[in-house]
Amino acid sequence: MTASSPGIDNSPPAANGTPRRAAATFAASLAFENVGRRYGDALALDNVSLTIAPGEVVCLLGPSGCGKTTLLRLAAGIERPTSGRVLINEQEVAGASRFVPPEQRSVGLMFQDFALFPHLTLLQNVAFGLKALPRKDAEREARAMLTRVRLAHMSDAYPHTLSGGQQQRVALARALVPRPAVVLMDEPFSGLDVQLSDNMQEETLALLRETRATAVIVTHHPEEAMRLADRIAVLRRGRIVQTGTAEDLYDHPAELFVARLFSEINEIAYRAKGGVIETPLGRVPAPGIAEGEIAILGLRERGIRVREPGKGLPGRILHSKFLGDIALLEVGVQGFDAPLRVRTHEGRGRPKGSEVGIEVDMSRALVFPPAFEA
Ligand code: ADP
Ligand code: MG
């Protein structure tokens, strides 16, 4: 392997024919260029383009069936694209004329179900990806990595004796120990309970930063994506809908589908006239919506303030559900046909039937064309 191509292991194979461990010392870029993947009549990926910088952590976010796993499998080399190219460090690893097999890509893949080998100990599981090294060296590195994930004391145990969180750490250690330039993780926390998942997210991120690997993490949890990612790519039906930082996507969602991922919103339909919609809270610009067409006003449930009567628009609490830190309210508001849903800490002492004043920061209101169903 040469310094100019850390993504691809060009070193001669070891004497026994297995490739040498791809000892990437720095991260690689990963790029998808107009990638398509078809299964029969179904288009699992449709013209996907995405460039991930060396050392960057990108989350693929989207509902089940949108193509997340397929994109990871294409990067790993387990599948081939039916159109477009995949590049690691600007070198084509999959395309019309070239295909680099998985073991030569310096890519580590962590499967959704962890896929540990049941008949191997933890140490053997982690050392598995280091077969090209002399056994002593492989064991030393595997032990060091097990220490890093706090499982050194269990190196001789078998996977079935481990908790879900421990299995997750072994899978992580096994994926990272060959020092891959690119790490691909398919829903790595989906099998863990919420609290464990929180801890593991932090640990995983710390380990990724330490190894300086480029990482692509698949998730269908928006909050997980926001916690982990430098950038998030939102997928829907095989296409990338929007790519950006968590702030970009939250503040400037490209469509209703993206807005719905990051917050609960009230959606109210209006007809655009002269480039605006007339709402009880004032006129709101409706850019890109043709005269007389439907525009959806999106008001975040957490963006609505509940004040004393006399402030803002008059309203009455129709329903109130205590949810701890916040209350979920349904409020009948003057000028709105349907009640607005409100998530607020201002619900205390305001039971059903209370008269209230409703205020909304309309500079944060969202206006979109109607959503396609996902
Ligand atoms: P996700 O991981 O986002 O849930 P996948 O990438 O697994 O989605 O699947 C995307 C689409 O491609 C789905 O409609 C799925 O049914 C289809 N698909 C994936 N793999 C295959 C396959 N091997 N054969 C046929 N269809 C597939
Ligand atoms: Mg999947």
Side-chain angles (χ1 to χ4, degrees):
M1 174 157 135
T2 61
S4 63
S5 61
I8 298 165
D9 186 356
N10 289 323
S11 57
N16 62 3
T18 48
R20 276 180 206 287
R21 170 176 92 106
T25 48
F26 50 93
S29 64
L30 168 65
F32 302 92
E33 275 184 17
N34 308 109
V35 164
R37 171 70 216 199
R38 190 174 274 290
Y39 295 105
D41 287 343
L43 199 53
L45 290 173
D46 183 6
N47 202 29
V48 168
S49 293
L50 176 65
T51 300
I52 301 164
E56 194 178 21
V57 176
V58 166
C59 281
L60 302 178
L61 175 67
S64 181
C66 71
K68 305 181 296 295
T69 296
T70 304
L71 202 58
L72 285 198
R73 292 165 67 86
L74 289 172
I78 298 172
E79 305 254 9
R80 292 168 187 248
T82 37
S83 56
R85 310 198 295 160
V86 181
L87 299 97
I88 294 179
N89 257 358
E90 290 163 24
Q91 298 197 26
E92 185 172 305
V93 293
S97 57
R98 192 165 146 77
F99 185 78
V100 177
E103 63 278 8
Q104 288 170 27
R105 289 191 185 191
S106 187
V107 161
L109 180 59
M110 186 170 149
F111 295 95
Q112 191 169 359
D113 60 2
F114 308 148
L116 299 178
F117 303 114
H119 58 288
L120 300 183
T121 65
L122 301 200
L123 187 68
Q124 290 165 338
N125 262 282
V126 176
F128 186 82
L130 301 172
K131 274 189 297 198
L133 291 183
R135 187 157 149 233
K136 279 245 155 358
D137 295 347
E139 281 196 7
R140 193 189 57 243
E141 300 215 5
R143 231 178 260 287
M145 189 55 89
L146 275 174
T147 304
R148 178 61 189 78
V149 298
R150 296 180 289 110
L151 285 171
H153 61 291
M154 295 184 74
S155 54
D156 295 328
Y158 287 85
H160 72 270
T161 64
L162 272 56
S163 70
Q166 290 169 333
Q167 291 187 20
Q168 203 269 358
R169 274 143 58 195
V170 178
L172 184 64
R174 189 180 61 182
L176 292 178
V177 76
R179 308 250 167 229
V182 177
V183 180
L184 307 167
M185 300 181 163
D186 199 354
E187 310 212 15
F189 312 107
S190 62
L192 309 179
D193 64 46
V194 176
Q195 207 169 358
L196 191 55
S197 169
D198 276 7
N199 295 338
M200 283 311 303
Q201 286 173 28
E202 308 232 324
E203 282 193 33
T204 302
L205 203 53
L207 201 49
L208 288 174
R209 299 289 187 209
E210 251 173 66
T211 56
R212 301 187 61 235
T214 305
V216 184
I217 305 175
V218 162
T219 177
H220 58 260
H221 291 298
E223 197 182 316
E224 188 172 298
M226 291 202 267
R227 287 178 67 144
L228 293 171
D230 296 318
R231 265 188 319 146
I232 300 171
V234 177
L235 272 90
R236 183 178 151 273
R237 289 188 177 171
R239 284 177 157 269
I240 292 188
V241 176
Q242 190 172 5
T243 307
T245 63
E247 283 95 336
D248 290 339
L249 301 191
Y250 183 85
D251 290 339
H252 307 289
E255 42 179 273
L256 199 48
F257 173 78
V258 178
R260 282 175 182 165
L261 288 175
F262 295 102
S263 42
E264 297 89 356
I265 51 184
N266 294 279
E267 297 177 19
I268 309 131
Y270 294 93
R271 275 193 198 281
K273 286 208 186 72
V276 299
I277 52 175
E278 299 274 359
T279 82
L281 293 154
R283 286 184 170 184
V284 188
I289 309 222
E291 186 69 13
E293 290 300 311
I294 297 283
I296 305 292
L297 171 67
L299 299 178
R300 292 190 165 108
E301 293 182 12
R302 286 185 169 78
I304 299 174
R305 293 209 58 190
V306 178
R307 315 292 305 277
E308 48 277 25
K311 298 205 158 149
L313 286 179
R316 176 195 293 269
I317 294 182
L318 304 177
H319 194 263
S320 172
K321 189 89 197 161
F322 175 72
L323 297 180
D325 290 340
I326 55 157
L328 177 57
L329 309 178
E330 277 181 30
V331 188
V333 181
Q334 189 173 72
F336 287 93
D337 293 343
L340 298 182
R341 286 163 63 92
V342 182
R343 285 171 201 266
T344 178
H345 58 271
E346 297 170 326
R348 282 285 172 109
R350 294 194 161 105
K352 183 174 163 177
S354 303
E355 304 287 339
V356 294
I358 291 298
E359 290 181 345
V360 183
D361 175 2
M362 291 305 281
S363 70
R364 301 184 65 82
L366 303 166
V367 179
F368 293 108
F372 308 95
E373 282 324 303

